[in-house]
Amino acid sequence: MFDFQYPNSQMPKINFLIKKGGENIIRSDRFILNTIKEFRCSKKRYEMLLGDAYYKGAHDILKRKRSCIGEDGTIIEINNLPNNRIVDNQYKKLVTQKVNYLLGKSFTIDADREYSNLLKNIFNSKFVKLLRNVCQDSINCGIGWIYIYYDEEGNINFKKLNPWEVAAGWSDAEHTKLDYAIRFYESIEYEGENRKIKEKAEVFDNIGIRRYEIDKGRLIPDGIKWKTPYFYYKNNRLSWSKIPLIPFKYNEETPLIKNVKTLQDGLNLIISNFQNAMEEDPRNTILVLKNYDGENLGEFRENLATYGAVKVRTIDGTDGGVETLSINVNSENYKSLIEIFKKAIIENGMGYDAKSEKLNGNPNMMNILSMYSDIDIDSIGMENEYRDAVENIIWFINSHLCNTGKGNFFNEDVKIIFNKNILINESELIDNCIKSLNVISEETVIAKHPWVEDSVKELKRIKKSKEKQYEEKTNGNGNKRGNCRRGSKSLQQGNNQTEGQS
């Protein structure tokens, strides 16, 4: 393992707690198993799995069966009719919109230059990709998790945990402080050539991690080093003074799917029914068979649904024959319902419609902002939660930097700025930037320009460009080129006169 070296005796050493024995916060195996059982069967976990399933396209419509009322009045399944199961995944579109709106661009770190560079090296492109996946989890499941740990080289690292595998124990009703967490998951292992799926459990508390295998309702320590601290320092077992699990919450831990599931199911059903109607051409015409044996009400319902034909008998039993009843499918009714469902999903899910009528063929900034109003309101809550979560991660990073001798940054001010990915009218925004140059600072204008990604680098480029232009005008010696040429010509004339006098 690696060693931490404190840079000097003044550095705070309270960031890590050295534990030499004592009991964990979770003492009972029964408590661990009961917590896993309760969470596994909970409605909260069911909604997490439901949100993830709907995002991946596993909707309830895929389980649909065609049915009718049978002869005895019970519901029976019909297998000889078209049974389309079409998924129009507007829910996934909503989730993708929210993730890209908040994290489509990397967040900005506003801090002292040295501190900012250290943070940027840790919050690299790999972390941004991880954060996007955690954001997707938080929208689908109401919460996402990042686990902070040290890799084999001693570098601080991050890992995403599936929300439906983490049973969290909070110390307060607002879920602001984590007392413990129990992760349970399935692991594929091989014993020789035999492939086995084993159930594992990991318990996180303020001392470290305990790893178990769950076998027949019992907890069995998993491996020799089943009980480990979060890391070691000079053979001492060490842990952070906080549990290194960071929650990223959405909508008070309420999955988005709860707001739109019935609407998404309705949309899938309408489209599937429309496709069924188009494929049921024989059913659009019902055959009426006169005087070919009557039937009771149960037979009538079943035959009508199954065969598209009914048998009737006249009073005197004469005039046998075949007639038809035509049923026309009005596609406009389906189109209207589909449009209603899609708009309702966008409104209830607080997304946006890129084809919105709010633009009215005039995509100015006011109309664009109006189109984004719902998703922007929803993102404010996400932004506050995510900023708090990233600041919690920074606490662990500060502890790491302090204890690896890179400096004490606990008292440094740092701001996390999420750069929302919004459609803009570039021409209008650039025009406003130009008009603002004599009103506000150049730094502020540059930061708001749509073509600028890093305002600090852009200001350096502008300064360098101005210096180059100045050098070209002054020929590099501080005098204008034109004056230098005139001075040279006068000097030459003076030299000629001197030679003549000689």
Side-chain angles (χ1 to χ4, degrees), residues 167-373:
W170 304 95
S171 62
D172 57 344
E174 291 76 22
H175 292 190
T176 59
K177 184 179 179 182
L178 194 64
D179 270 349
Y180 65 88
I182 302 173
R183 180 193 177 207
F184 58 97
Y185 60 98
E186 291 183 345
S187 175
I188 299 175
E189 297 182 2
Y190 287 88
E191 296 179 359
E193 296 181 354
N194 298 324
R195 180 177 179 269
K196 290 189 176 182
I197 298 177
K198 295 185 177 181
E199 190 173 5
K200 306 280 187 175
E202 296 174 350
V203 179
F204 301 84
D205 56 26
N206 58 359
I207 295 178
I209 309 174
R210 284 177 287 160
R211 298 178 174 87
Y212 298 94
E213 179 181 334
I214 303 176
D215 183 29
K216 298 179 181 179
R218 295 183 300 113
L219 290 178
I220 301 174
D222 190 14
I224 299 175
K225 297 182 179 180
W226 64 278
K227 187 176 181 180
T228 61
Y230 291 112
F231 59 92
Y232 291 90
Y233 173 67
K234 294 182 178 179
N235 296 323
N236 288 318
R237 302 165 63 87
L238 295 170
S239 73
W240 313 91
S241 57
K242 299 179 182 180
I243 297 175
L245 281 175
I246 309 299
F248 286 76
K249 302 175 185 177
Y250 171 75
N251 194 24
E252 297 180 349
E253 300 183 37
T254 303
L256 177 64
I257 191 63
K258 288 190 68 175
N259 298 337
V260 298
K261 181 182 183 300
T262 55
L263 296 169
Q264 178 66 70
D265 289 341
L267 176 64
N268 293 339
L269 186 62
I270 288 295
I271 297 176
S272 299
N273 284 346
F274 180 64
Q275 182 70 12
N276 288 342
M278 292 297 99
E279 292 180 3
E280 288 180 20
D281 290 337
R283 295 295 180 274
N284 294 339
T285 300
I286 298 176
L287 300 178
V288 181
L289 309 180
K290 289 185 176 182
N291 294 322
Y292 287 88
D293 296 326
E295 56 188 346
N296 60 36
L297 187 59
E299 291 175 333
F300 169 80
R301 285 179 170 175
E302 184 174 356
N303 290 337
L304 180 61
T306 307
Y307 305 109
V310 295
K311 296 185 290 183
V312 298
R313 180 180 294 278
T314 60
I315 294 176
D316 56 6
T318 61
D319 298 329
V322 178
E323 293 182 359
T324 61
L325 293 175
S326 297
I327 299 175
N328 296 321
V329 177
N330 190 342
S331 62
E332 292 302 320
N333 292 340
Y334 286 97
K335 290 180 181 178
S336 298
L337 284 172
I338 289 170
E339 190 67 23
I340 290 171
F341 273 115
K342 285 188 175 182
K343 287 185 177 180
I345 290 172
I346 292 172
E347 290 181 3
N348 285 268
M350 301 190 75
Y352 67 88
D353 182 6
K355 302 174 184 177
S356 173
E357 296 175 355
K358 294 178 181 179
L359 296 179
N360 291 325
N362 183 22
N364 58 51
M365 287 306 299
M366 290 300 296
N367 288 337
I368 291 173
L369 292 175
S370 176
M371 181 183 73
Y372 280 105
S373 59

Side-chain angles (χ1 to χ4, degrees), residues 421-434:
N421 192 12
I422 185 172
L423 178 69
I424 61 173
N425 186 325
E426 286 190 350
S427 299
E428 185 177 346
L429 191 55
I430 291 171
D431 185 54
N432 290 335
C433 286
I434 294 172

Side-chain angles (χ1 to χ4, degrees), residues 15 28 35 44 46 77 88 147 223 234 241 254 292 299 323 332 426 456 464 491:
N15 305 322
S28 168
T35 301
K44 183 176 183 179
Y46 167 77
E77 183 180 352
D88 184 2
Y147 170 53
K234 294 182 178 179
S241 57
T254 303
Y292 287 88
E299 291 175 333
E323 293 182 359
E332 292 302 320
E426 286 190 350
V456 176
K464 187 176 181 180
L491 180 60

Side-chain angles (χ1 to χ4, degrees), residues 102-108 123-125 128 417-419:
L102 187 64
L103 299 174
K105 298 179 181 178
S106 299
F107 61 84
T108 302
F123 292 142
N124 50 27
S125 58
V128 172
I417 303 169
F418 291 96
N419 302 304

Side-chain angles (χ1 to χ4, degrees), residues 416-464:
I416 305 300
I417 303 169
F418 291 96
N419 302 304
K420 297 177 182 178
N421 192 12
I422 185 172
L423 178 69
I424 61 173
N425 186 325
E426 286 190 350
S427 299
E428 185 177 346
L429 191 55
I430 291 171
D431 185 54
N432 290 335
C433 286
I434 294 172
K435 291 177 181 178
S436 303
L437 275 173
N438 296 326
V439 180
I440 57 179
S441 68
E442 184 180 8
E443 288 82 358
T444 302
V445 173
I446 293 298
K448 295 296 183 181
H449 198 286
W451 295 350
V452 175
E453 295 182 357
D454 190 323
S455 58
V456 176
K457 290 182 179 179
E458 188 61 31
L459 286 169
K460 289 181 180 179
R461 295 190 189 104
I462 292 173
K463 182 180 179 181
K464 187 176 181 180

